[in-house]
Amino acid sequence: MHSCLIHYHEVNDMKIKKELEAMLTKEVSQVLEKCKGIKKEEELLEIRLNIGQPLIVKCKGGEYILKRNGEVTKDFKEGLYVTANMVRDTFSGACKYSAYAFEEEVRQGFLTIEGGHRIGIVGQAIMEEGRVKNLKYISGLNIRVANENIGCGEVLMKEIYNHRELASALIVSMPGGGKTTLLRDCIRVLSEGTGIRKGYRVGVVDERGELGAAYRGIIQNHLGPRTDLLDRISKKEGIFMLLRSMAPEIIAVDEIGSKEDEEALHRAMLCGCKLLATAHAASIQEARIRFESLGIFEYYILLDAKHVGRIQEIYQSTGIHQKKEALLCGS
Amino acid sequence: MWQLKLIGAAMILIGSTILGLEKSKKEENKIRTLQDINYMLVLLKGEMVYERAALPDIYMHLSQKLSKPYNRFFEGLCEEMEHRRGRTMEQIWRERVENSTKDWVMEEKDRQEFLQLGNFWGYIDISLQESALELYKEKLEYRIKEMQSTIKDRQRIYSMLGVLSGLFLGILLF
């Protein structure tokens, strides 16, 4: 078993490789390239860098500790020791040495880089008047690799939209369950249309820049020809702007949860738009407790947190409950 | 025979005068280079502070706005940053300054100062980043003033040295 985690021969991986290489330190890049003991099919999902801890990568098959020579080990002590310099340089690389340009994102504890990869940041918070002003002594980074999985949304779209009216749906799972990847492809499917369905005008509010991964104003991911994307704007403002200006038939947003989000979604629903959203929840029941009272969503889709890329359950607000084990494309 | 000597002496005189004038012109160009760098900083600061643009984007914009040889410098810098290959910003800046500013008319100590600018990038706080740039800008403006205050004297010396050395060599030839 030998493979490098970022394969050279595939176009998508090539893109990921370039984006990560521009950010990671030479040492970490080399370890990922030399990586032995992880199957080639295993998609890279996360890279964890915590000062004083070993380098950990998360793939579809699980979590691996990597040694300096790229071998996988189970012993924490044998892993490549992450230094303060590694974390600092990776952070600087992720910001392209322009940390000032990402001040607002750093304050929220994450930043999204070219390609839609999201980097979680931990460190010591600098507080001012009871709110986080900035982070200092950055001690750890969690790089979540955005893997565009074209085609994975078709299974779900067929399942809930085939021969039926357009409906609002909420995709839920635990963190890392593949919600954003699935939502991204659902947007593409709805925007492109299928043989039996026309394409819809989809408005996307990409608060964290993960859906479209727009770079210098150009959408990097495939979101379809009828998609209008508002990048790095709050859901509330973005939804209102789309409603006012772009006449969307469907509005898609990632990771809803706040009261403001709910109000904006409700407003969109009253305007006749259908909604496609994701949220963190461990079960359909939990999602229903939180969102059913809003009366927005007709479908609740639970993804399997243990097996990324599997639909575990679909619930229809009319009361129909389906236990699904549908496998999404390419998973 | 004396006619040939006269022609030779005249040519030496013209040559050394031209050299003197060239040297004097170079002094002017040194100030112009520093003024160009100062102008770059104004543009850079504007994009950084008011647009909050990231450095590669700023470099790209500068490469489009500035003329030769500065546009090439920033174009290259932008490309290098896109393919960082594990290097730090300081290293990228250093490499670029060392390789691409050889044809810029400036004194070595000014080049070293420009090289130090590479250490000023990457502050997380915008006001700190702005202050760091401002500090370099102040130093630069002071240096420009210093050079401007002495340029007339230096230019006069170079021009006179050119003419006098030409005359001296001409007389020696006779």
Side-chain angles (χ1 to χ4, degrees), chain B residues 100-160:
Chain B
S100 308
T101 61
K102 283 174 187 157
D103 54 343
W104 295 15
V105 187
M106 64 200 300
E107 283 186 15
E108 193 46 41
K109 71 170 180 182
D110 295 325
R111 198 185 310 277
Q112 287 304 318
E113 280 291 333
F114 188 56
L115 206 133
Q116 295 303 317
L117 185 60
N119 302 333
F120 291 161
W121 309 124
Y123 289 101
I124 203 160
D125 188 287
I126 190 71
S127 52
L128 267 179
Q129 185 69 70
E130 198 182 348
S131 307
L133 275 182
E134 207 51 55
L135 182 70
Y136 176 75
K137 202 167 174 299
E138 273 175 29
K139 272 189 192 174
L140 194 67
E141 279 165 3
Y142 178 77
R143 176 82 179 126
I144 292 171
K145 272 185 195 156
E146 187 188 52
M147 285 175 85
Q148 275 172 338
S149 66
T150 57
I151 190 170
K152 291 281 174 224
D153 295 338
R154 274 180 293 139
Q155 277 186 320
R156 203 174 301 130
I157 289 170
Y158 288 132
S159 311
M160 280 175 67

Side-chain angles (χ1 to χ4, degrees), chain A residues 45-46 58 144 173-179 255 280 304-305 308-309:
Chain A
L45 300 176
E46 276 180 31
K58 190 180 163 195
R144 292 182 62 184
S173 86
M174 294 292 277
K179 296 181 293 292
E255 291 188 14
H280 288 297
D304 193 342
V308 180

Side-chain angles (χ1 to χ4, degrees), chain A residues 117-136:
Chain A
H117 312 296
R118 190 159 89 184
I119 299 159
I121 309 158
V122 287
Q124 189 179 325
I126 305 168
M127 303 297 287
E128 194 179 77
E129 291 171 6
R131 64 188 287 260
V132 180
K133 184 178 178 252
N134 221 325
L135 284 179
K136 65 176 178 179

Side-chain angles (χ1 to χ4, degrees), chain A residues 18 21-26 88-103 106 114 133-135 138 215-216, chain B residues 47-49 52-58 60 78 81-90 92 121-127 129:
Chain A
K18 194 183 138 232
E21 208 177 49
M23 169 185 67
L24 295 170
T25 60
K26 213 170 197 171
R88 191 199 58 208
D89 288 346
T90 307
F91 173 71
S92 297
C95 301
K96 300 196 169 176
Y97 285 86
S98 320
Y100 59 86
F102 296 91
E103 211 179 325
V106 172
E114 183 187 355
K133 184 178 178 252
N134 221 325
L135 284 179
I138 291 169
Y215 185 61
R216 289 174 180 159
Chain B
E47 297 235 7
M48 192 177 266
V49 178
R52 298 284 168 105
L55 284 176
D57 296 345
I58 296 176
M60 198 178 72
C78 182
M81 281 193 79
E82 298 288 340
H83 309 100
R84 197 169 71 102
R85 291 185 293 272
R87 289 170 300 165
T88 63
M89 179 65 214
E90 286 88 345
I92 293 172
W121 309 124
Y123 289 101
I124 203 160
D125 188 287
I126 190 71
S127 52
Q129 185 69 70

Side-chain angles (χ1 to χ4, degrees), chain A residues 125-273:
Chain A
I126 305 168
M127 303 297 287
E128 194 179 77
E129 291 171 6
R131 64 188 287 260
V132 180
K133 184 178 178 252
N134 221 325
L135 284 179
K136 65 176 178 179
Y137 306 127
I138 291 169
S139 58
L141 302 170
N142 178 24
I143 303 158
R144 292 182 62 184
V145 181
N147 289 295
E148 200 182 7
N149 197 339
I150 295 172
C152 71
E154 281 162 16
V155 176
L156 178 66
M157 290 295 100
K158 234 179 235 172
E159 195 66 47
I160 66 173
Y161 287 148
N162 230 2
H163 308 294
R164 294 186 200 116
E165 282 299 304
L166 202 56
S168 294
L170 180 69
I171 303 164
V172 297
S173 86
M174 294 292 277
K179 296 181 293 292
T180 306
T181 309
L182 180 59
L183 174 66
R184 192 186 292 129
D185 203 56
C186 288
I187 294 167
R188 180 192 62 81
V189 175
L190 288 167
S191 177
E192 282 180 355
T194 60
I196 50 166
R197 271 204 169 277
K198 67 162 188 136
Y200 294 99
R201 288 189 306 279
V202 186
V204 179
V205 182
D206 199 1
E207 191 170 3
R208 291 172 175 163
E210 284 183 292
L211 293 170
Y215 185 61
R216 289 174 180 159
I218 301 163
I219 299 173
Q220 307 285 308
N221 290 331
H222 296 85
L223 293 184
R226 297 176 186 86
T227 300
D228 300 307
L229 180 122
L230 270 175
D231 193 29
R232 320 275 171 139
I233 185 171
S234 74
K235 292 180 197 81
K236 185 186 169 191
E237 300 230 11
I239 288 172
F240 289 160
M241 276 174 77
L242 283 173
L243 288 172
R244 277 196 298 264
S245 57
M246 303 310 287
E249 292 170 284
I250 301 162
I251 286 182
V253 287
D254 198 16
E255 291 188 14
I256 57 167
S258 73
K259 203 83 196 144
E260 281 189 337
D261 295 346
E262 289 168 10
E263 280 167 19
L265 290 173
H266 199 259
R267 171 86 177 267
M269 185 193 78
L270 295 177
C271 290
C273 277

Side-chain angles (χ1 to χ4, degrees), chain A residues 8-105:
Chain A
Y8 286 95
H9 58 280
E10 289 168 26
V11 178
N12 199 30
D13 289 334
M14 202 50 190
K15 192 173 138 243
I16 293 173
K17 181 185 179 297
K18 194 183 138 232
E19 289 150 359
L20 293 183
E21 208 177 49
M23 169 185 67
L24 295 170
T25 60
K26 213 170 197 171
E27 213 168 1
V28 176
S29 286
Q30 281 171 353
V31 171
L32 292 181
E33 288 216 1
K34 285 190 281 191
C35 186
K36 298 163 199 164
I38 301 176
K39 284 180 194 165
K40 204 172 179 178
E41 305 77 58
E42 290 212 34
E43 218 165 71
L44 177 63
L45 300 176
E46 276 180 31
I47 304 165
R48 283 184 169 271
L49 298 165
N50 281 298
I51 298 175
Q53 301 300 326
L55 171 66
I56 297 175
V57 294
K58 190 180 163 195
C59 297
K60 271 197 174 161
E63 214 175 61
Y64 303 94
I65 299 165
L66 295 180
K67 287 160 71 170
R68 186 173 290 275
N69 61 6
E71 279 175 17
V72 170
T73 176
K74 283 183 180 169
D75 188 354
F76 277 97
K77 288 173 193 158
E78 286 182 350
L80 171 74
Y81 180 83
V82 175
T83 63
N85 278 354
M86 270 186 209
V87 171
R88 191 199 58 208
D89 288 346
T90 307
F91 173 71
S92 297
C95 301
K96 300 196 169 176
Y97 285 86
S98 320
Y100 59 86
F102 296 91
E103 211 179 325
E104 189 54 44
E105 279 125 311

Side-chain angles (χ1 to χ4, degrees), chain A residues 301-313:
Chain A
I301 300 111
L302 177 70
L303 301 183
D304 193 342
K306 284 177 195 157
H307 305 97
V308 180
R310 272 176 189 276
I311 298 172
Q312 194 181 328
E313 214 173 323

